[in-house]
Amino acid sequence: MLKSLSVVLGLMASTPAPAAEWKYEDRGVPIAYFDNGAAQFQFACRGGSFAMGYWVKKPSAEVAAANSMSLAINAGGGISAGGGTSFAQDMPLIHSDGSSMVIRGPVARQWAVIAQQAADTIRVGYVRHKAQGGLEVFDGNEFGSRGSNAAIAKVLRQCG
């Protein structure tokens, strides 16, 4: 009995959580977020403008030491320099109880569309271009995309 319970709990911990929503400081401002335990990816209306955030609880040494990095998203495949991956180039990092990045404007809106169209998974990670070509991916995380379309649509409607 204990062994089967351990297996079930282990599977639950490794399964990406679907999109969820909650209200920012109980003020009726919707936030669509994905949380897999190690990281959180969210879309919100902050100060009247649409924003996207990515937060890693225990960042790698490279991310924790960086002032800025690029961020990448892929809705379906792995993060790569090839097709299907979108980038937010060289953005400042915030280091407080983990490492995070906040992106506003057209890139946040573009990523909302990507997340809404994801069939099963969304992959997000900090990236750095290698001098010899290709990418180094740091703190890449996978999130289940079930429910993302409706949750993100509510934020976009309010933040338009």
Side-chain angles (χ1 to χ4, degrees), residues 27-47:
R27 294 189 182 156
V29 178
I31 297 174
Y33 71 96
F34 308 82
D35 192 324
N36 67 4
Q40 190 176 92
F41 179 55
Q42 64 176 249
F43 295 95
C45 192
R46 305 279 187 185

Side-chain angles (χ1 to χ4, degrees), residues 43-45 48-52 103-105 108-109 112 152 155-156 159:
F43 295 95
C45 192
S49 65
F50 188 74
M52 180 211 63
I103 298 170
R104 298 178 187 272
R109 290 184 186 283
I152 294 168
V155 179
L156 284 168
C159 206

Side-chain angles (χ1 to χ4, degrees), residues 112-133:
V113 171
I114 292 168
Q116 285 181 297
Q117 294 173 348
D120 297 314
T121 58
I122 301 167
R123 290 176 180 83
V124 182
Y126 298 114
V127 296
R128 185 168 47 201
H129 291 278
K130 295 179 188 178
Q132 65 274 27

